[in-house]
Amino acid sequence: MSSSKRFAPKLGIKKGDKVVVIAGSNKGQSGEVKVVFPKENRAIIDGLNMVKKHIKSTQDNPGGINEMEAPIHISNLMVVDPKSGKPTRTGRKEVDGKLVRYSKKSGEIIK
């Protein structure tokens, strides 16, 4: 038996989504999703969960301490409702033969 999962889970979050952090040190803050890592169930949000990374100096790079975004677990994120701007759960429904994501709060389609 291998420790890896057989299927990647369906995540409610995609690159480019506006999300709100609902738990953790950045609770209440919002931003846009830059990268999603489905295998780790994590996402990087623009300007949130900043950490300091120490870079060793090389011939071409002077080194120093850089600030960068660290991944946040997807369970701590919620998509922002396009109508009200509040956090909402997402659902999937068929519109014109295509599956689209929609906001459970307002029923509005998420891009």
Side-chain angles (χ1 to χ4, degrees):
M1 303 252 183
S2 66
S3 63
S4 65
K5 293 182 183 122
R6 206 163 148 212
F7 302 106
K10 266 280 184 244
L11 308 175
I13 289 169
K14 281 182 170 180
K15 180 181 175 182
D17 280 354
K18 291 266 181 234
V19 294
V20 171
V21 180
I22 58 168
S25 59
N26 293 305
K27 183 176 179 175
Q29 296 179 346
S30 61
E32 193 173 312
V33 177
K34 282 170 66 173
V35 188
V36 177
F37 304 108
K39 284 185 178 169
E40 290 97 50
N41 283 343
R42 292 178 178 271
I44 292 181
I45 314 304
D46 199 21
L48 291 183
N49 200 25
M50 299 302 282
V51 294
K52 288 182 170 24
K53 178 137 172 105
H54 294 254
I55 309 286
K56 193 172 186 178
S57 61
T58 60
Q59 281 185 329
D60 1 293
N61 185 14
I65 302 170
N66 289 0
E67 274 206 21
M68 57 185 281
E69 295 110 351
I72 301 176
H73 198 273
I74 284 188
S75 65
N76 297 330
L77 302 173
M78 272 186 111
V79 177
V80 172
D81 188 344
K83 204 173 197 176
S84 68
K86 292 182 178 171
T88 179
R89 293 177 297 145
T90 58
R92 292 152 59 88
K93 64 182 175 184
E94 203 168 321
V95 176
D96 302 329
K98 280 194 161 182
L99 266 181
V100 293
R101 294 183 310 149
Y102 71 97
S103 160
K104 294 258 186 157
K105 231 172 212 174
S106 64
E108 196 144 315
I109 290 172
I110 301 169
K111 66 163 163 102

